[in-house]
Amino acid sequence: MRIAIDAMGGDNAPQAIVEGINLAKKNYPELEFLLFGKENEIKKYLTDEKNVTIIHTDEKINSDDEPVKSIRQKKQASMVLAAHAVKNKEADALFSAGNTGALLAAGLFVVGRIKKVERPGLMTTMPVFTGEAGAGFDFIDMGANADNKPEHLLTYGILGSFYAKKVRSIENPRVGLLNNGTEATKGSELTKAAYELLEKEESINFIGNVEARDLFNGVADVVVTDGFTGNAVLKSVEGTAMSLMTILKSSIMDSGLKGKMGALMLKDSLKGMKSTLDYSSHGGAVLFGVKAPVVKTHGSTGPEAVSHTMGQIKTMLETNLVEELQTFFDNKEA
Amino acid sequence: MRIAIDAMGGDNAPQAIVEGINLAKKNYPELEFLLFGKENEIKKYLTDEKNVTIIHTDEKINSDDEPVKSIRQKKQASMVLAAHAVKNKEADALFSAGNTGALLAAGLFVVGRIKKVERPGLMTTMPVFTGEAGAGFDFIDMGANADNKPEHLLTYGILGSFYAKKVRSIENPRVGLLNNGTEATKGSELTKAAYELLEKEESINFIGNVEARDLFNGVADVVVTDGFTGNAVLKSVEGTAMSLMTILKSSIMDSGLKGKMGALMLKDSLKGMKSTLDYSSHGGAVLFGVKAPVVKTHGSTGPEAVSHTMGQIKTMLETNLVEELQTFFDNKEA
């Protein structure tokens, strides 16, 4: 199992990425890594070269580069070379903490779509607050697409269900459709049409509509939405959580000694809450529906999360997730 | 200024509604109220009948009634009679804490749309966490519509801007378009087309795209979106805030004595935060674009919020908000 790593992508690259690979080498000795980027900088942080091949390149894609253009023009960029390694079967999966749009473009145009998956979606496992350890739901599409058709949402139901079964070991994952009400008759033109398709699909356990308000109550194992709404929901959750944290901080600053002491104690719980909310603890976001695992983490991702994400990719490879998806779609009638 | 009140709508009706009117009679002695509902029940809670007319009816719309059907079939329901009072110019505005869908239907089909406003939107003033007292943004459409066209979003920009100027006394309100990125080129087909229309509209101060993540930072005074996305954002914010509150509570239960003491002190701040988040503190949600103020609060609204909402309606009436909107749209080229 060889993973192509864009060592230059992310706010703290290559240090955070390489240190994450150092950790992953210990945690998953069966993995091999192809590190794309500046050799001397990578070597500065790499503990040893066991299971590692460095492919030197000076070029990289910046966070403010225009995604599709940069993929086409910066042919020697670390991310682009890593994507080509996957395309050419020199590696089995692609990882980057860099420019999200560029990684999506690299996934779509270099790694390539699975047949019959018209619009791959970005998926992540979001936490739920039911108190159950590791509980969460797979949220797809988080924003790879700005416009989706009903058929795409059906595909996301199938993709999410595969992931929940294979990677999260959920036997019969409950697939919900994000909608503006729980009744079957509710929705926009898009969600009403998607509802009908999801309901007819025999390979999944469709449980009907779910509302954004109930997402964190564990109402479903997979939640399907269009990329525009998914993006808005994700950013609303982030914005609300960040605002509440800020208010809590200022409450602590304004409170007396007793309050400060108590706040200090609570602060640990609240940090725990913050890390629960941080969906990167469940691994990276997967561009799902392309011919190999393409996984992305936050630009600010640290070594622990990079290593954790390598474990996630390992599970995706071990369970033959992508191959089985390809077989499924090959056999599916259009 | 006469306000038609659906005295039977809401979880604690008619008690909470009538007690709210008792308060409003003190706070706004220039207002008159038409109370629609069961006379003997209303009289049980009403302090006195100054400025109040009771119109007795036994029928009411329940929270689980099918909206459009109930408006058409329950012709003697308190909400329907109240809406007809507005239509027949016996009252200047309509208020209910009852079935939201039914109130939207009553607003659209009984009170009626302003000419050239194809799809009235549901608008509320959401709080921001900038520390500035009373700061907020007008969010429209929160979910009156499941599908919107670009032209509707332009109309919402105009409506929101009028409201921010007239009711919130903001001189040159900044109108933002909720989108999946801040760059002008970002968006779905809908938001890209809406962007062009909003940019061309000379009557408003369009500042471009805003992201859901930044809503609570005071990034705009008016935020325009389609009803499906607005509904999803609103419910995501509610869900996240509720989940965090639940986690905080369980942290408090699990913490030691010191933690509990500190938590108790912080609890007040956090309650304050909760009430800041509670958008009903800014008044009710307005079905905007119909021929009179039609205002709705949560079903669980208490007397204080009912009275506060009467103040909001009073401002809308005093500033001739609806009349000026009608004039504006009459003079606007199609």
Side-chain angles (χ1 to χ4, degrees):
Chain A
M1 292 182 282
R2 309 177 89 190
I3 307 177
I5 308 284
D6 169 17
M8 309 309 284
D11 306 342
N12 309 310
Q15 184 172 356
I17 309 302
V18 176
E19 287 177 358
I21 298 304
N22 290 336
L23 265 178
K25 275 151 50 83
K26 277 186 223 160
N27 295 336
Y28 314 105
E30 62 276 52
L31 293 180
E32 286 179 50
F33 302 99
L34 306 184
L35 266 57
F36 294 82
K38 290 198 175 167
E39 186 165 14
N40 58 345
E41 286 196 44
I42 290 171
K43 279 191 170 162
K44 205 164 25 175
Y45 303 108
L46 196 66
T47 46
D48 65 89
E49 293 192 37
K50 186 165 178 273
N51 292 340
V52 168
T53 310
I54 300 173
I55 296 93
H56 173 78
T57 179
D58 280 321
E59 203 169 26
K60 63 170 186 156
I61 289 174
N62 299 312
S63 62
D64 56 351
D65 279 347
E66 207 275 296
V68 178
K69 217 162 118 182
S70 60
I71 286 294
R72 297 220 166 115
Q73 295 182 343
K74 291 187 166 180
K75 291 190 197 301
Q76 296 301 314
S78 52
M79 186 195 284
V80 177
L81 292 181
H84 277 284
V86 175
K87 189 191 176 177
N88 302 334
K89 311 275 185 202
E90 294 152 22
D92 306 302
L94 171 61
F95 168 80
S96 175
N99 185 319
T100 305
L103 187 66
L104 296 180
L108 292 173
F109 303 127
V110 181
V111 177
R113 296 183 290 109
I114 291 176
K115 229 164 92 180
K116 296 186 194 162
V117 177
E118 203 180 315
R119 290 287 196 101
L122 195 60
M123 195 204 77
T124 203
T125 306
M126 301 275 291
V128 298
F129 301 137
T130 52
E132 208 186 322
F137 64 93
D138 297 320
F139 193 46
I140 179 170
D141 175 23
M142 284 164 49
N145 300 281
D147 290 287
N148 280 118
K149 291 181 188 160
E151 295 73 26
H152 306 157
L153 270 60
L154 168 61
T155 301
Y156 298 154
I158 295 166
L159 293 173
S161 198
F162 256 85
Y163 189 89
K165 270 185 215 167
K166 292 278 175 182
V167 180
R168 296 173 57 221
S169 307
I170 298 171
E171 209 171 305
N172 191 23
R174 298 160 300 153
V175 178
L177 172 66
L178 187 69
N179 212 335
N180 60 1
T182 53
E183 303 90 332
T185 53
K186 281 275 185 174
S188 61
E189 286 171 26
L190 172 67
T191 55
K192 281 182 190 169
Y195 188 101
E196 283 186 29
L197 294 176
L198 285 158
E199 204 179 23
K200 272 188 229 150
E201 176 62 37
E202 285 173 6
S203 75
I204 62 168
N205 174 21
F206 181 56
I207 60 159
N209 293 324
V210 299
E211 288 193 277
R213 181 194 283 137
D214 300 319
L215 290 179
F216 298 114
N217 300 336
V219 74
D221 302 307
V222 175
V223 176
V224 166
T225 189
D226 67 281
F228 189 86
T229 308
N231 178 279
V233 166
L234 205 70
K235 286 177 181 166
S236 302
V237 171
E238 283 180 13
T240 308
M242 270 167 47
S243 296
L244 295 191
M245 286 308 207
T246 306
I247 292 175
L248 184 71
K249 267 186 206 157
S250 63
S251 296
I252 291 170
M253 298 312 285
D254 294 348
S255 64
L257 183 64
K258 266 186 197 165
K260 278 203 180 90
M261 286 175 73
L264 234 78
M265 288 193 68
L266 281 182
K267 219 179 162 184
D268 286 340
S269 317
L270 286 156
K271 265 195 185 159
M273 173 175 92
K274 202 178 175 181
S275 85
T276 312
L277 247 183
D278 179 9
Y279 49 85
S280 69
S281 67
H282 281 264
V286 182
L287 177 65
F288 213 18
V290 291
K291 287 178 186 158
V294 172
V295 183
K296 139 100 201 150
T297 58
H298 269 292
S300 58
T301 301
E304 292 274 355
V306 170
S307 168
H308 187 81
T309 304
M310 294 307 124
Q312 176 195 12
I313 294 174
K314 176 174 164 278
T315 310
M316 292 173 71
L317 293 175
E318 279 173 348
T319 56
N320 292 315
L321 183 67
V322 171
E323 289 76 5
E324 293 200 15
L325 267 174
Q326 280 180 308
T327 308
F328 176 88
F329 282 106
D330 278 343
N331 296 328
K332 191 169 164 58
E333 284 168 45
Chain B
M1 293 181 280
R2 308 178 89 189
I3 306 176
I5 308 284
D6 169 17
M8 307 310 284
D11 306 342
N12 309 309
Q15 184 173 357
I17 309 300
V18 176
E19 287 177 357
I21 299 302
N22 290 337
L23 265 179
K25 276 152 47 84
K26 276 186 222 158
N27 295 336
Y28 315 105
E30 61 276 51
L31 293 180
E32 286 179 51
F33 303 99
L34 305 184
L35 265 58
F36 294 82
K38 290 199 175 166
E39 185 164 13
N40 57 347
E41 285 196 45
I42 291 170
K43 278 190 170 162
K44 206 165 20 172
Y45 302 106
L46 195 66
T47 46
D48 65 88
E49 293 191 38
K50 187 164 178 273
N51 292 342
V52 168
T53 309
I54 301 173
I55 296 95
H56 173 78
T57 180
D58 280 321
E59 202 168 29
K60 65 169 183 154
I61 289 174
N62 298 313
S63 61
D64 56 352
D65 280 346
E66 207 276 297
V68 178
K69 217 161 118 181
S70 61
I71 286 293
R72 296 219 166 116
Q73 294 180 344
K74 291 187 164 179
K75 290 189 195 302
Q76 297 301 311
S78 53
M79 188 196 283
V80 177
L81 292 180
H84 277 284
V86 175
K87 188 192 178 174
N88 302 333
K89 311 276 183 200
E90 294 152 22
D92 306 302
L94 172 60
F95 169 81
S96 176
N99 185 318
T100 305
L103 187 66
L104 296 181
L108 292 174
F109 303 128
V110 181
V111 177
R113 296 183 290 108
I114 291 176
K115 228 165 88 182
K116 297 186 193 164
V117 177
E118 203 181 314
R119 292 286 195 101
L122 195 59
M123 195 205 78
T124 204
T125 306
M126 301 276 290
V128 297
F129 302 137
T130 52
E132 210 185 321
F137 64 95
D138 297 320
F139 193 47
I140 178 169
D141 174 24
M142 284 165 48
N145 300 281
D147 290 288
N148 280 118
K149 292 181 188 159
E151 295 74 26
H152 306 156
L153 271 59
L154 168 62
T155 300
Y156 298 153
I158 295 167
L159 293 172
S161 197
F162 256 86
Y163 188 89
K165 269 185 217 169
K166 292 279 177 183
V167 180
R168 296 172 58 222
S169 307
I170 297 171
E171 209 170 304
N172 192 24
R174 297 160 301 153
V175 178
L177 172 65
L178 187 68
N179 213 334
N180 61 359
T182 52
E183 303 89 333
T185 53
K186 282 274 185 174
S188 61
E189 286 171 26
L190 172 66
T191 55
K192 280 182 193 170
Y195 188 101
E196 282 187 31
L197 295 174
L198 285 159
E199 203 178 25
K200 273 189 227 149
E201 176 62 36
E202 285 174 7
S203 75
I204 62 170
N205 173 20
F206 181 55
I207 59 160
N209 293 325
V210 299
E211 288 192 278
R213 180 193 284 141
D214 300 320
L215 290 178
F216 298 115
N217 301 336
V219 73
D221 302 307
V222 174
V223 175
V224 167
T225 188
D226 68 281
F228 189 87
T229 308
N231 179 277
V233 165
L234 207 69
K235 286 176 181 167
S236 303
V237 171
E238 282 179 15
T240 308
M242 270 167 48
S243 297
L244 295 191
M245 286 310 207
T246 307
I247 292 176
L248 184 70
K249 266 185 205 157
S250 63
S251 296
I252 292 171
M253 298 312 285
D254 295 347
S255 64
L257 182 64
K258 265 187 199 165
K260 278 204 180 89
M261 285 175 73
L264 234 80
M265 289 190 67
L266 281 183
K267 218 179 164 186
D268 286 338
S269 317
L270 287 154
K271 264 193 185 161
M273 174 174 90
K274 202 178 177 182
S275 86
T276 313
L277 246 184
D278 179 9
Y279 49 86
S280 69
S281 67
H282 281 265
V286 182
L287 176 65
F288 213 19
V290 292
K291 288 178 185 158
V294 172
V295 182
K296 139 101 199 146
T297 59
H298 269 293
S300 58
T301 300
E304 292 275 353
V306 171
S307 169
H308 187 80
T309 304
M310 294 306 126
Q312 176 196 13
I313 295 175
K314 176 174 164 279
T315 309
M316 292 173 72
L317 293 174
E318 279 174 347
T319 56
N320 292 315
L321 184 66
V322 171
E323 290 77 6
E324 294 200 15
L325 267 174
Q326 279 179 309
T327 310
F328 176 88
F329 282 106
D330 279 343
N331 296 328
K332 192 170 162 58
E333 284 168 44

